[in-house]
Amino acid sequence: MKFFIDSGDLDEIKKAAAMGLLDGVTTNPSLLAKGGKPMKQALAEIAAVVDGPISGEVLAVDYEGIVREGREIAAIHKNLVVKVPLIPAGLRAVKTFAAEGIKTNVTLCFSGNQALLAAKAGATYVSPFIGRIDDTSHEGMQLIEQIVTIYSNYDFDTEVLVASVRSPTHVLQAALLGAHVCTIPFKVIEQLAYHPLTDLGLAKFLEDGKKIPKG
Ligand code: E4P
């Protein structure tokens, strides 16, 4: 499973990249608004740090606007992926982008049928929002299971990009279900390596290590 960081914060992105396990980056308007930089500048700076797919989202909601903004985003750097909302105009634009060789990430996916449409339109990635489904007292991971099954039934090339991840359990479940990508907030990336028994065991080994006679 590929690891993307879900962030618009360049310092966080640099720290995650330094771990050596980062495959790409996803941003959204809410994340980039926190950084306070113009979108193109922020995406170009991220592309200079991470050599992998970087999703930048369009703000337009009509077909012509999505296509215009998407082409501008794709022109920033070869690794840019155009993030498009899962609405009819967005799906139409995804088909246009696919014909032009522009990669897409279809975002705000909340149902198996929506994911089916994204794949049929030729999306590179589909982003089901797991945490936001959990927030409504439904089981977000059931959606990942559905999409993985649907895509495997028909051999779609679209990759399942698990988004709106809130905890290490989400990452584990995504991996167990065979999702292609998980986009993870920096805090959760840090939590993945943590286990109290590792810390306790290491402390004991270091303590005992001092008792080994020096040779
Ligand atoms: C990433 O592609 C999504 O925009 C992001 O994961 C949404 O996360 P949130 O539900 O925590 O805002």
Side-chain angles (χ1 to χ4, degrees), residues 9-33:
D9 181 324
L10 198 60
D11 288 334
E12 274 186 3
I13 294 168
K14 282 180 182 167
K15 281 185 206 157
M19 291 176 182
L21 299 170
L22 195 63
D23 300 299
V25 182
T26 53
T27 68
N28 63 34
S30 307
L31 291 169
L32 289 183

mmCIF file of all heavy atoms in Angstrom, residues 9-33:
data_model
loop_
_atom_site.group_PDB
_atom_site.id
_atom_site.type_symbol
_atom_site.label_atom_id
_atom_site.label_comp_id
_atom_site.label_asym_id
_atom_site.label_seq_id
_atom_site.Cartn_x
_atom_site.Cartn_y
_atom_site.Cartn_z
ATOM 1 N N ASP A 9 1.013 21.508 4.663
ATOM 2 C CA ASP A 9 2.060 22.123 5.489
ATOM 3 C C ASP A 9 3.433 21.618 5.034
ATOM 4 O O ASP A 9 3.767 20.440 5.228
ATOM 5 C CB ASP A 9 1.786 21.759 6.961
ATOM 6 C CG ASP A 9 2.800 22.353 7.920
ATOM 7 O OD1 ASP A 9 3.992 22.446 7.557
ATOM 8 O OD2 ASP A 9 2.402 22.706 9.039
ATOM 9 N N LEU A 10 4.230 22.523 4.441
ATOM 10 C CA LEU A 10 5.497 22.111 3.839
ATOM 11 C C LEU A 10 6.465 21.501 4.858
ATOM 12 O O LEU A 10 7.186 20.554 4.541
ATOM 13 C CB LEU A 10 6.153 23.306 3.131
ATOM 14 C CG LEU A 10 7.232 22.954 2.111
ATOM 15 C CD1 LEU A 10 6.698 22.079 0.983
ATOM 16 C CD2 LEU A 10 7.850 24.218 1.535
ATOM 17 N N ASP A 11 6.461 22.037 6.086
ATOM 18 C CA ASP A 11 7.365 21.481 7.114
ATOM 19 C C ASP A 11 6.991 20.034 7.439
ATOM 20 O O ASP A 11 7.854 19.168 7.519
ATOM 21 C CB ASP A 11 7.317 22.326 8.401
ATOM 22 C CG ASP A 11 8.008 23.658 8.191
ATOM 23 O OD1 ASP A 11 8.888 23.732 7.318
ATOM 24 O OD2 ASP A 11 7.641 24.621 8.883
ATOM 25 N N GLU A 12 5.701 19.791 7.616
ATOM 26 C CA GLU A 12 5.226 18.423 7.876
ATOM 27 C C GLU A 12 5.587 17.500 6.716
ATOM 28 O O GLU A 12 6.048 16.373 6.917
ATOM 29 C CB GLU A 12 3.696 18.414 7.979
ATOM 30 C CG GLU A 12 3.117 18.730 9.315
ATOM 31 C CD GLU A 12 1.593 18.553 9.318
ATOM 32 O OE1 GLU A 12 0.981 18.131 8.317
ATOM 33 O OE2 GLU A 12 1.034 18.868 10.358
ATOM 34 N N ILE A 13 5.383 18.004 5.519
ATOM 35 C CA ILE A 13 5.642 17.191 4.322
ATOM 36 C C ILE A 13 7.130 16.844 4.249
ATOM 37 O O ILE A 13 7.507 15.701 3.956
ATOM 38 C CB ILE A 13 5.157 17.923 3.045
ATOM 39 C CG1 ILE A 13 3.623 18.039 3.085
ATOM 40 C CG2 ILE A 13 5.616 17.202 1.781
ATOM 41 C CD1 ILE A 13 3.025 18.966 2.048
ATOM 42 N N LYS A 14 7.985 17.827 4.575
ATOM 43 C CA LYS A 14 9.442 17.578 4.572
ATOM 44 C C LYS A 14 9.801 16.518 5.611
ATOM 45 O O LYS A 14 10.603 15.619 5.350
ATOM 46 C CB LYS A 14 10.204 18.865 4.875
ATOM 47 C CG LYS A 14 10.307 19.801 3.686
ATOM 48 C CD LYS A 14 11.086 21.058 4.064
ATOM 49 C CE LYS A 14 11.154 22.029 2.909
ATOM 50 N NZ LYS A 14 11.604 23.357 3.290
ATOM 51 N N LYS A 15 9.204 16.626 6.815
ATOM 52 C CA LYS A 15 9.510 15.651 7.879
ATOM 53 C C LYS A 15 9.069 14.250 7.459
ATOM 54 O O LYS A 15 9.786 13.271 7.671
ATOM 55 C CB LYS A 15 8.780 16.041 9.178
ATOM 56 C CG LYS A 15 9.452 17.156 9.945
ATOM 57 C CD LYS A 15 8.728 17.375 11.279
ATOM 58 C CE LYS A 15 8.911 18.798 11.753
ATOM 59 N NZ LYS A 15 7.892 19.267 12.674
ATOM 60 N N ALA A 16 7.876 14.157 6.867
ATOM 61 C CA ALA A 16 7.379 12.838 6.442
ATOM 62 C C ALA A 16 8.260 12.283 5.322
ATOM 63 O O ALA A 16 8.587 11.088 5.310
ATOM 64 C CB ALA A 16 5.934 12.942 5.982
ATOM 65 N N ALA A 17 8.695 13.155 4.411
ATOM 66 C CA ALA A 17 9.547 12.702 3.305
ATOM 67 C C ALA A 17 10.879 12.197 3.839
ATOM 68 O O ALA A 17 11.436 11.216 3.325
ATOM 69 C CB ALA A 17 9.760 13.844 2.311
ATOM 70 N N ALA A 18 11.373 12.845 4.903
ATOM 71 C CA ALA A 18 12.669 12.450 5.476
ATOM 72 C C ALA A 18 12.612 11.041 6.078
ATOM 73 O O ALA A 18 13.643 10.390 6.234
ATOM 74 C CB ALA A 18 13.091 13.455 6.540
ATOM 75 N N MET A 19 11.432 10.558 6.417
ATOM 76 C CA MET A 19 11.301 9.184 6.945
ATOM 77 C C MET A 19 11.598 8.150 5.850
ATOM 78 O O MET A 19 11.843 6.988 6.153
ATOM 79 C CB MET A 19 9.881 8.941 7.473
ATOM 80 C CG MET A 19 9.522 9.701 8.716
ATOM 81 S SD MET A 19 7.767 9.370 9.112
ATOM 82 C CE MET A 19 7.563 10.398 10.549
ATOM 83 N N GLY A 20 11.508 8.580 4.602
ATOM 84 C CA GLY A 20 11.850 7.679 3.494
ATOM 85 C C GLY A 20 10.729 6.742 3.083
ATOM 86 O O GLY A 20 10.947 5.810 2.313
ATOM 87 N N LEU A 21 9.515 6.974 3.595
ATOM 88 C CA LEU A 21 8.419 6.046 3.297
ATOM 89 C C LEU A 21 7.282 6.721 2.527
ATOM 90 O O LEU A 21 6.223 6.124 2.345
ATOM 91 C CB LEU A 21 7.841 5.478 4.608
ATOM 92 C CG LEU A 21 8.808 4.694 5.477
ATOM 93 C CD1 LEU A 21 8.189 4.395 6.839
ATOM 94 C CD2 LEU A 21 9.199 3.397 4.795
ATOM 95 N N LEU A 22 7.524 7.951 2.095
ATOM 96 C CA LEU A 22 6.428 8.726 1.513
ATOM 97 C C LEU A 22 6.361 8.535 -0.003
ATOM 98 O O LEU A 22 7.354 8.700 -0.699
ATOM 99 C CB LEU A 22 6.634 10.210 1.854
ATOM 100 C CG LEU A 22 5.430 11.106 1.654
ATOM 101 C CD1 LEU A 22 4.284 10.694 2.564
ATOM 102 C CD2 LEU A 22 5.808 12.559 1.937
ATOM 103 N N ASP A 23 5.150 8.206 -0.504
ATOM 104 C CA ASP A 23 4.982 7.977 -1.943
ATOM 105 C C ASP A 23 4.286 9.136 -2.659
ATOM 106 O O ASP A 23 4.305 9.183 -3.893
ATOM 107 C CB ASP A 23 4.160 6.703 -2.159
ATOM 108 C CG ASP A 23 4.845 5.486 -1.563
ATOM 109 O OD1 ASP A 23 5.966 5.175 -1.995
ATOM 110 O OD2 ASP A 23 4.266 4.848 -0.660
ATOM 111 N N GLY A 24 3.646 10.024 -1.908
ATOM 112 C CA GLY A 24 2.936 11.124 -2.565
ATOM 113 C C GLY A 24 2.253 12.016 -1.550
ATOM 114 O O GLY A 24 2.388 11.823 -0.335
ATOM 115 N N VAL A 25 1.505 13.005 -2.073
ATOM 116 C CA VAL A 25 0.864 14.014 -1.212
ATOM 117 C C VAL A 25 -0.547 14.285 -1.728
ATOM 118 O O VAL A 25 -0.766 14.328 -2.938
ATOM 119 C CB VAL A 25 1.657 15.353 -1.241
ATOM 120 C CG1 VAL A 25 1.038 16.385 -0.318
ATOM 121 C CG2 VAL A 25 3.124 15.132 -0.901
ATOM 122 N N THR A 26 -1.481 14.455 -0.796
ATOM 123 C CA THR A 26 -2.795 14.995 -1.176
ATOM 124 C C THR A 26 -3.003 16.307 -0.437
ATOM 125 O O THR A 26 -2.616 16.447 0.718
ATOM 126 C CB THR A 26 -3.953 14.032 -0.837
ATOM 127 O OG1 THR A 26 -3.879 13.665 0.537
ATOM 128 C CG2 THR A 26 -3.936 12.791 -1.711
ATOM 129 N N THR A 27 -3.606 17.260 -1.147
ATOM 130 C CA THR A 27 -4.004 18.519 -0.509
ATOM 131 C C THR A 27 -5.486 18.713 -0.804
ATOM 132 O O THR A 27 -6.056 18.005 -1.649
ATOM 133 C CB THR A 27 -3.229 19.719 -1.078
ATOM 134 O OG1 THR A 27 -3.634 19.928 -2.450
ATOM 135 C CG2 THR A 27 -1.729 19.507 -1.020
ATOM 136 N N ASN A 28 -6.091 19.633 -0.114
ATOM 137 C CA ASN A 28 -7.443 20.080 -0.470
ATOM 138 C C ASN A 28 -7.502 21.574 -0.134
ATOM 139 O O ASN A 28 -6.577 22.106 0.504
ATOM 140 C CB ASN A 28 -8.525 19.227 0.225
ATOM 141 C CG ASN A 28 -8.494 19.334 1.740
ATOM 142 O OD1 ASN A 28 -8.176 20.391 2.283
ATOM 143 N ND2 ASN A 28 -8.827 18.252 2.434
ATOM 144 N N PRO A 29 -8.547 22.274 -0.564
ATOM 145 C CA PRO A 29 -8.604 23.722 -0.317
ATOM 146 C C PRO A 29 -8.515 24.062 1.168
ATOM 147 O O PRO A 29 -7.879 25.063 1.537
ATOM 148 C CB PRO A 29 -9.965 24.119 -0.916
ATOM 149 C CG PRO A 29 -10.198 23.102 -1.987
ATOM 150 C CD PRO A 29 -9.649 21.813 -1.440
ATOM 151 N N SER A 30 -9.114 23.243 2.028
ATOM 152 C CA SER A 30 -9.083 23.542 3.470
ATOM 153 C C SER A 30 -7.653 23.449 3.996
ATOM 154 O O SER A 30 -7.212 24.286 4.797
ATOM 155 C CB SER A 30 -9.984 22.567 4.237
ATOM 156 O OG SER A 30 -11.263 22.554 3.690
ATOM 157 N N LEU A 31 -6.909 22.442 3.558
ATOM 158 C CA LEU A 31 -5.525 22.269 4.011
ATOM 159 C C LEU A 31 -4.641 23.407 3.493
ATOM 160 O O LEU A 31 -3.801 23.938 4.232
ATOM 161 C CB LEU A 31 -4.968 20.917 3.539
ATOM 162 C CG LEU A 31 -5.582 19.663 4.181
ATOM 163 C CD1 LEU A 31 -5.137 18.403 3.444
ATOM 164 C CD2 LEU A 31 -5.211 19.583 5.656
ATOM 165 N N LEU A 32 -4.808 23.791 2.209
ATOM 166 C CA LEU A 32 -3.953 24.843 1.641
ATOM 167 C C LEU A 32 -4.299 26.219 2.210
ATOM 168 O O LEU A 32 -3.419 27.076 2.338
ATOM 169 C CB LEU A 32 -4.055 24.860 0.118
ATOM 170 C CG LEU A 32 -3.397 23.676 -0.602
ATOM 171 C CD1 LEU A 32 -3.495 23.838 -2.113
ATOM 172 C CD2 LEU A 32 -1.928 23.500 -0.195
ATOM 173 N N ALA A 33 -5.567 26.422 2.591
ATOM 174 C CA ALA A 33 -5.965 27.717 3.165
ATOM 175 C C ALA A 33 -5.191 27.980 4.459
ATOM 176 O O ALA A 33 -4.847 29.129 4.755
ATOM 177 C CB ALA A 33 -7.466 27.730 3.428
#
